[in-house]
Amino acid sequence: MAYTVPKLKDFSPAALDKAVAEFLSALDTESVGVQIESERKVFRDRWQGRKNGLLTQVNDLWLKTAPTDAKRDVGQRVNVLKSRVAETIEKLRPSVSATAVVKGLSLRTEVGQPTAYGDSSLDISLPGIRRPIGAEHPIIRTMNEIIGVFRNLGYSIAEGPVIETDYYNFESLNFPPNHPARDTQDTLFLANQESKPPRERLLLRTHTSPVQIRTMEKLKPPLRILIPGRVHRNDPPDASHSPMFHQVEGLAVDTNITFGDLKGTLDHAMKALFGSDVKTSFRPSFFPFTEPSAEVFVSCFICGGSGKRGADDAPCRPCKQAGWIEILGCGMVDPNVFEFVKRNGYDPEKVSGFAFGMGVDRIAMLKYGLDDLQLFFQGDVRFLEQFG
Ligand code: PHE
């Protein structure tokens, strides 16, 4: 007679153990008769079937009807039964020899031997798992392009920390304490720094310029370095702002470096980055750490500098119809900056230099024709895989 799940009246531990033993012995006895796949399925449905399988009956007849004080005892035993049924069914999975697979005799349902890796099984007839290798992020790619241009000019790479001290981010760059120029960089300060002397207080660097000083402290002139990196400012995110963005900074120091060298270097770099037919325009500006300072514009490489696009003279959006796009800030290193590293060979009477800094994210947006900066930071694979 085939096993049926009995109704229980006695829920004492002894009675429960007896019921469990009967269930398990029926499970073992019936499993012996299972030989082929179709029998395995019948066996599985009989014991594990969701609708009226024997485990479901155990749930209904034992667990649901158990008095409250016996529920725990019954529950623990039902869990044991569940895992024993699952194990038994798993063991009945037929295995197939490797030679059979080679001969093309395998069917998916016949494959699946326990592997050396544990009790999971390996179905070698399933398609492999695809692991896409990914693509360089468009910002990193743009950064590398910029780096490539300057590497060809003999620049090497320098890096510095994203969490920076007030001294390197401001003071040594000729932003004196409480000077209003600091207000132009909406700084994110780290909390609980009040017990430290002001110049040691930590903040998220607002530009890559602190690495100028850090490098000049370590290396003697002459120097030609490029500084790529992440910076932060307290700007709420929108289509053209982000509290985190990227800059590439440059610094060249030697004897007799002139503003002409600065202009020639940047004009060459802009042509290498945006096309040999762009023009550059240097307009006066101010930065505490350069004097004189300039902003560099390139003629709009979208509309060719006309401010208009297409046959119907539609307004050019990237340059706001100006025909020029602002790309970077630059200038001759202020002698006050050299004073901070004078003892390492940077006597402002003897050396001169230029520095420049550009926003990578904006350049990447222009290059790829994007109108929303946030796309770079949302991690949407549908966006990113277009750069693969
Ligand atoms: N650090 C400046 C900024 O973030 C850019 C800059 C770098 C200007 C080097 C001049 C020289 O705005």
Side-chain angles (χ1 to χ4, degrees):
M1 257 265 294
Y3 172 78
T4 52
V5 179
K7 279 192 184 144
L8 290 186
K9 287 193 197 84
D10 182 358
F11 287 90
S12 68
L16 290 174
D17 286 343
K18 187 167 162 269
V20 165
E22 282 169 10
F23 182 101
L24 289 178
S25 114
L27 179 73
D28 287 344
T29 313
E30 289 185 26
S31 74
V32 175
V34 175
Q35 304 286 342
I36 55 171
E37 181 59 19
S38 57
E39 290 169 344
R40 192 179 87 99
K41 280 189 178 140
V42 171
F43 181 85
R44 186 193 60 196
D45 290 347
R46 168 164 159 75
W47 289 88
Q48 230 178 9
R50 210 171 273 273
K51 266 229 173 114
N52 206 25
L54 295 176
L55 275 177
T56 306
Q57 291 181 34
V58 163
N59 230 21
D60 292 344
L61 296 176
W62 299 3
L63 194 58
K64 284 194 186 150
T65 60
T68 321
D69 55 353
K71 277 251 191 299
R72 215 182 119 96
D73 274 351
V74 180
Q76 283 172 348
R77 286 169 175 81
V78 171
N79 284 341
V80 171
L81 297 183
K82 274 187 192 158
S83 43
R84 283 289 298 275
V85 169
E87 276 166 30
T88 306
I89 292 171
E90 182 61 26
K91 276 199 206 119
L92 291 173
R93 278 163 74 87
S95 57
V96 85
S97 69
T99 40
V101 176
V102 172
K103 286 180 187 154
L105 296 175
S106 82
L107 288 172
R108 253 181 67 165
T109 47
E110 293 173 342
V111 188
Q113 311 185 37
T115 68
Y117 303 110
D119 57 8
S120 68
S121 50
L122 171 69
D123 184 344
I124 58 170
S125 71
L126 286 171
I129 298 168
R130 203 171 139 253
R131 300 195 193 283
I133 53 167
E136 203 168 37
H137 192 280
I139 288 182
I140 300 298
R141 187 196 279 205
T142 306
M143 242 178 193
N144 284 338
E145 252 178 72
I146 300 169
I147 289 170
V149 169
F150 285 93
R151 180 168 288 157
N152 288 344
L153 295 176
Y155 284 66
S156 35
I157 303 295
E159 286 183 299
V162 174
I163 298 175
E164 191 48 282
T165 61
D166 182 282
Y167 175 76
Y168 286 113
N169 196 80
F170 289 125
E171 197 177 330
S172 65
L173 289 167
N174 201 29
F175 293 81
N178 302 316
H179 193 279
R182 290 181 172 218
D183 297 345
T184 62
Q185 311 213 346
D186 297 301
T187 311
L188 293 162
F189 295 93
L190 270 72
N192 305 325
Q193 302 290 303
E194 292 75 14
S195 62
K196 295 182 181 168
R199 55 165 58 174
E200 286 172 28
R201 294 183 190 168
L202 298 175
L203 44 81
L204 297 182
R205 69 177 177 191
T206 58
H207 50 179
T208 39
S209 305
V211 188
Q212 289 188 29
I213 296 284
R214 284 184 173 276
T215 310
M216 287 192 285
E217 283 178 348
K218 283 197 220 103
L219 304 177
K220 298 202 183 314
L223 197 66
R224 276 166 186 72
I225 51 164
L226 210 65
I227 307 156
R230 202 163 78 232
V231 302
H232 293 80
R233 290 191 199 172
N234 186 17
D235 284 325
D238 65 19
S240 55
H241 293 85
S242 162
M244 185 280 300
F245 58 103
H246 302 80
Q247 290 188 333
V248 170
E249 180 111 1
L251 173 69
V253 183
D254 207 333
T255 48
N256 299 317
I257 294 241
T258 67
F259 199 87
D261 296 321
L262 168 62
K263 283 188 77 172
T265 302
L266 291 180
D267 184 71
H268 164 81
M270 294 302 112
K271 287 182 163 67
L273 284 173
F274 300 111
S276 54
D277 47 357
V278 298
K279 296 193 186 71
T280 51
S281 166
F282 290 69
R283 307 182 188 178
S285 183
F286 174 80
F287 300 100
F289 40 95
T290 47
E291 181 63 30
S293 304
E295 257 145 29
V296 180
F297 289 71
V298 299
S299 55
C300 180
F301 44 87
I302 314 280
C303 67
S306 67
K308 303 203 166 53
R309 289 177 77 180
D312 53 351
D313 280 355
C316 180
R317 278 222 289 164
C319 69
K320 301 196 188 79
Q321 302 182 67
W324 295 93
I325 298 177
E326 188 190 330
I327 296 291
L328 54 80
C330 64
M332 302 305 291
V333 178
D334 193 303
N336 289 345
V337 172
F338 285 139
E339 287 293 338
F340 286 94
V341 283
K342 193 171 177 172
R343 270 180 303 162
N344 200 29
Y346 293 87
D347 182 344
E349 299 290 327
K350 295 193 181 119
V351 296
S352 58
F354 63 75
F356 56 86
M358 58 190 107
V360 179
D361 316 65
R362 221 172 78 80
I363 294 175
M365 282 176 77
L366 290 165
K367 278 188 99 77
Y368 295 112
L370 303 178
D371 54 12
D372 186 0
L373 173 63
Q374 298 306 319
L375 286 167
F376 286 141
F377 308 128
Q378 286 161 342
D380 188 331
V381 175
R382 291 167 303 176
F383 169 75
L384 294 171
E385 69 187 359
Q386 295 177 57
F387 299 89

